[in-house]
Structures are given as structure tokens and as C-alpha cells.
Amino acid sequence: MTTVQARPTPDNRRWKALAVCLTAGFISLLDTSIVNVALPSMEHGLAASEAAQSWVVSGYALTFGLVLVPAGRLGDMRGRRQAFLLGLAVFTLASAACGLAPSASWLVLFRLIQGTAAGMVAPQTSGLIQQMFQGAERAKAFGLLGSVIGVSTAVGPLAGGLLINAVGTDDGWRWVFFVNLPIGVATFAAGLRLLPRFPASTGKREEFDLFGVLLLGAAVLALMLPLVQEQQWTGRLKWALLPVAALLLAAFWAWERRQGRRGQAPLVDLDLFSLRSFTLGSLISLTYFAGFTTVFFIYSLFLQNTVGYSALAAGVSVLPFAAASAVGAAIGGRLVMRHGRKLVVIGLSGVVVGLLGVVVAVQLVPLQSVGWATAVPMVIGGIGSGLTVSPNTTLTLTRVPVHRAGAAGGVLQTGQRIGSAAGIAVVGAVYFAHQANHRRPVTAIQLGLLTAIGISMIALLLAVADLRERHVHPEPERAKETVRRGSEEDGAEEAVPHGS
């Protein structure tokens, strides 16, 4: 069912609704990293095998990534408020089930459900921001979303460490899930009252592209499964799924083109990729998340397994990055309308410089003091991260018609999930291989971080190339007009950031 968005009303209700969206986004993203430090507690208290522990982590990421695009499209068609509240309710119930799980097998099953629910919530958040805000306010809202993304990813180990330290090893892992319950219930109640409803339907019926969902789901599964199971699935046979994923993606692209030619609603409007801002922004996001999220994975392992830090101390060591990322994202949300892609280039440069500082500190400082020595580089990298995620999200989605915002946000976030999985597979392989073959953990962490820096450099080169191209060949007016027509259908004309 096609819906028409009304012009946003200038009241504080929208900002309260945004707080609801960001809170739900925070707990769903927190669960991608908070569980990592709880794995030893699961092994001790639940007798979870290594394979089960792996699926507790990777299963969540897998189902999260699988449903993002279809959930975004469902929200576009049937209502983002309904999809958001359904996803949040299932996420909260699944969190309770995880905490009460009687065995590792049940825990894995409930984590798969929890990841599916989180994937339903995420694209509604970006879609609702597009629906409720415009221009500078939208950039500010995406800045706050960028703060949440950075903080939730980085603060997970600290939150998990605090809970396990407070409750104990046997049952500490259960409270990693129980902590979602009061937040989820309160957020759901606030969402019922504050989230905007769609105006009345135009009466035009759109069918949900079920075959497109199946094709894309199979492609994402074939792509992500060998990545998230890289350490546990031994042998090279798993990599045979990658060409299968490529074939399925090609089939999905052809099917979506066919849907468009026949005048039927596709799952993903492929005309979005004619917008350079969307295509380049999605690629930058994919490659940046491949480098950025891996840092916490290997650095936390290094601090606990090599330096001897507790889970809590390891979490505190990455807190400077989280705090600085929140500040950087807030600043980026205010400046992106003026500076556009330049801000992303500055941010990525800061991330590279900060991570290089961590590599140097690990080499020069005694291991027991490495947490303190890396604080300043972490702050530099965190500010850079905030200046990257928030402005890039704004620039990527700024020309997208509001009635396609959910699906477009799903595509962007699917790229982030795939990038994270690929980055952890690649950087983790470098770190673990050197650790196993040479028994030199300091060199292993440095090589792992340098690999993450190399991946981040790819994102930086993409941003620089896009910035130079914009000076020579600005985005065609045709693309602007396409999106402007979509915006007029939504009841408002879109403001485009300078240099976007």
C-alpha cells in the first residue's frame, strides 16, 4: 500500500519520537558487542561449547543482516510505526528468553530470533528520521544516530564487563540479556504514544516482492555465513559460497529490473544507485565498518588474553573512543550541511591517524600501561569516527525519496553488517594466524590493527575520489529532479547539503 508523507510539523514531539528510535537502536546495536565479553561466563555457567558461543555471536549478526532490506520495505509499505513496534516487542521478548535459556542450544535459537527483531527495528529508525525531519534538522537527527552507533558499538564490552563483575561469572551472562527488558518495555510504551502514524493511504496497492526477498535473503546468507563462521568452519569449502552469493545477487538485480519494467513495486528501487551520493556513501559505509568494528574485537581480546586485563578494564580502555565518537557525531551532524563530503574525508583521516597512534603505543609502552597510553589515540580515532558515520549517513540518504527511505536505509545498514562480518573475518584471520604461528601477541595486534587501517584507507580513498569528482562533475540535475519529485509527493522539497 503506497503512503504519502505529510510535511513535518514544527513541534517537540518529533524529537521525543527520535529519542524512542535512538533508544531502541542503542540496545539492538549494543547486543552486537556486549555479548563478546560474556562468552567465558556462558562457558562456565551454561557449559556452552566453542561452536555454541560462536553462534551466539555470529547468529545474531547473520539474522540481523538478513532482514534489514525486507523489513525496511515492509515499513515503507505498511507503516514504519507498526514495523518498529513489532520488532521492538519481539526483541524484548527474545531478550527475556535468552536470559532464561536452559541450555546453549536454546540460547542460540533465541539469539537468532533476537537478531531478526533487531533487523526489523533498524531500518525503521532511519526511515522515521527521513519522515519526521528535513534539512538541517535531519542532519542533526542523523548526527544523534551516528552518536548512538558509535557509542553502542564501543561501550558494549564495558557494559558487559560491569554486569558480569556485579553479578558473578555463573549468571552474569544472563544479565547481559535481562538488561534489555526494562529499557525495551519503557521504549515500547513511549513509542505507542509518540511515534507518528501514516496519513491515509492513496488507495494504490503495492504487492510485497516476495521472490525478491527470497533471492536477496539467499544472497546475503551465502555471503555472510562463511564470513561470520570463518574461525569455526574449518577448510576452504566455505568460500565456495561467495561465487554463489555473486550469482544470487546478479539474479536479484535482474529480477528487480524486471519488476520495474513491468510497473510492479520492487523490493529495492534500483534507480537509487543512479544517485552517486547513495552509491558512494553505501560503499564508504561498507568499507569503513569493515575496518572500524574489527578494532574493538581484536583489541579487547589482546587486552584480556595478553595483557591480563579483566573484561571491565578492557571495556574502560575503549571508553575514550566511544565518548569521543559521540562528540564527533554530534559535531558532524551540525556541520555536514555546510561542508558535505569534506567532513567525511577529515573524519576518516582522523580514524587512520588514531589507529596508527594505537599501533605505536603498543610498540613503545609497557603492556600493563597500554590502556592509558592508547587513550589519546583512541580519542582522535573516536572523533574521526563520529565525523565519518553521522555525515556519511546524512549524505547517503539525503536525495532518497521519503517513501523509499526504509528500503534505502536497509540497503545501507546491510552493507554495514556485511562490512563488519568481512572485516572481522579478515582482520581476525591476520591476528589469530600470527598469534598461532609465531606466538608474538604484540606483533599480532599490530598487524591486525594495520590491516584495519588498510581497510579504512580504502574508505578514505573512496571519499577523496568522490570529493574530487564533485568539483569536476557535480551531481546531475536529473538526479536532483528525480528525488525532488519524490519529495514533493511526500509533501516537502528536499534540501541538499553543500558538497554532498
Side-chain angles (χ1 to χ4, degrees):
M1 186 181 298
T2 302
T3 52
V4 180
Q5 324 303 353
R7 184 184 296 272
T9 54
D11 56 41
N12 291 329
R13 187 182 181 89
R14 291 174 298 126
W15 294 102
K16 294 177 181 178
L18 176 64
V20 170
C21 295
L22 297 183
T23 303
F26 178 81
I27 58 175
S28 61
L29 289 171
L30 183 72
D31 265 46
T32 63
S33 59
I34 192 174
V35 171
N36 292 336
V37 297
L39 294 178
S41 176
M42 291 176 193
E43 182 179 8
H44 189 270
L46 200 63
S49 65
E50 286 189 7
Q53 293 175 53
S54 169
W55 272 104
V56 166
V57 176
S58 62
Y60 183 89
L62 189 63
T63 53
F64 194 136
L66 276 174
V67 302
L68 283 166
V69 174
R73 180 64 182 135
L74 186 66
D76 289 342
M77 293 175 60
R78 301 289 187 258
R80 298 183 184 110
R81 178 181 186 272
Q82 295 91 317
F84 179 94
L85 291 173
L86 175 61
L88 179 58
V90 175
F91 179 87
T92 305
L93 292 172
S95 296
C98 286
L100 296 170
S103 68
S105 298
W106 281 107
L107 177 58
V108 169
L109 175 62
F110 294 140
R111 276 288 279 178
L112 294 173
I113 297 172
Q114 192 189 33
T116 302
M120 180 172 285
V121 170
Q124 315 314 327
T125 298
S126 59
L128 284 165
I129 289 175
Q130 297 263 100
Q131 178 182 332
M132 294 188 294
F133 300 98
Q134 294 176 356
E137 284 192 335
R138 181 181 292 176
K140 182 180 178 181
F142 274 126
L144 294 171
L145 177 61
S147 298
V148 167
I149 292 172
V151 171
S152 61
T153 305
V155 83
L158 173 61
L162 284 170
L163 286 168
I164 292 170
N165 191 59
V167 179
T169 304
D170 286 346
D171 291 321
W173 67 270
R174 296 185 186 274
W175 288 91
V176 164
F177 301 110
F178 286 150
V179 72
N180 292 330
L181 300 186
I183 302 173
V185 170
T187 305
F188 184 86
L192 283 174
R193 186 169 58 89
L194 294 170
L195 292 180
R197 299 177 183 272
F198 274 121
S201 165
T202 62
K204 182 181 176 182
R205 184 80 182 175
E206 283 187 352
E207 296 295 331
F208 193 62
D209 183 10
L210 184 59
F211 188 66
V213 170
L214 294 175
L215 279 176
L216 182 61
V220 173
L221 180 64
L223 181 58
M224 289 190 67
L225 187 59
L227 296 175
V228 300
Q229 285 287 292
E230 195 275 333
Q231 292 294 318
Q232 287 71 33
W233 188 351
T234 57
R236 298 180 180 178
L237 183 61
K238 58 178 175 286
W239 302 119
L241 285 176
L242 296 184
V244 173
L247 290 173
L248 288 168
L249 283 172
F252 171 74
W253 189 276
W255 172 260
E256 295 298 284
R257 282 290 184 207
R258 178 177 178 272
Q259 288 287 93
R261 287 195 300 269
R262 295 175 62 184
Q264 297 179 353
L267 178 65
V268 176
D269 185 353
L270 299 183
D271 287 341
L272 290 172
F273 294 97
S274 68
L275 299 173
R276 188 175 61 204
S277 56
F278 181 79
T279 303
L280 266 294
S282 297
L283 287 174
I284 291 169
S285 182
L286 186 152
T287 50
Y288 176 63
F289 269 75
F292 147 69
T293 54
T294 59
V295 171
F296 306 110
F297 173 63
I298 60 170
Y299 188 59
S300 294
L301 286 176
F302 171 74
L303 290 177
Q304 292 181 76
N305 297 340
T306 300
V307 183
Y309 279 18
S310 66
L312 178 59
V316 171
S317 296
V318 298
L319 190 58
F321 190 103
S325 178
V327 173
I331 294 172
R334 288 179 169 84
L335 298 180
V336 64
M337 299 298 290
R338 187 185 312 162
H339 299 289
R341 188 66 74 189
K342 294 177 186 176
L343 213 54
V344 178
V345 173
I346 294 170
L348 287 167
S349 300
V351 171
V352 170
V353 170
L355 293 182
L356 284 172
V358 174
V359 172
V360 173
V362 169
Q363 177 66 34
L364 299 180
V365 176
L367 288 185
Q368 289 301 321
S369 303
V370 75
W372 293 104
T374 57
V376 172
M378 282 285 184
V379 168
I380 295 171
I383 292 175
S385 181
L387 292 176
T388 299
V389 176
S390 164
N392 187 64
T393 302
T394 303
L395 297 173
T396 302
L397 298 177
T398 191
R399 298 178 188 272
V400 174
V402 176
H403 69 281
R404 296 292 185 189
V411 171
L412 177 65
Q413 292 175 71
T414 300
Q416 293 172 357
R417 296 303 106 206
I418 291 172
S420 297
I424 288 174
V426 173
V427 175
V430 171
Y431 175 75
F432 289 120
H434 193 86
Q435 182 96 304
N437 295 332
H438 302 284
R439 305 290 180 184
R440 290 186 294 181
V442 171
T443 306
I445 186 64
Q446 289 176 319
L447 289 174
L449 289 172
L450 288 172
T451 305
I453 291 169
I455 296 171
S456 300
M457 285 290 294
I458 296 174
L460 176 58
L461 291 174
L462 285 170
V464 170
D466 184 43
L467 184 62
R468 292 185 61 184
E469 181 71 12
R470 288 175 189 281
H471 287 305
V472 180
H473 303 293
E475 186 125 32
E477 289 296 320
R478 182 184 63 81
K480 295 181 184 179
E481 292 301 320
T482 299
V483 177
R484 186 175 292 119
R485 285 197 298 272
S487 296
E488 288 168 352
E489 292 173 5
D490 301 330
E493 185 171 317
E494 182 58 58
V496 179
H498 175 69
S500 66

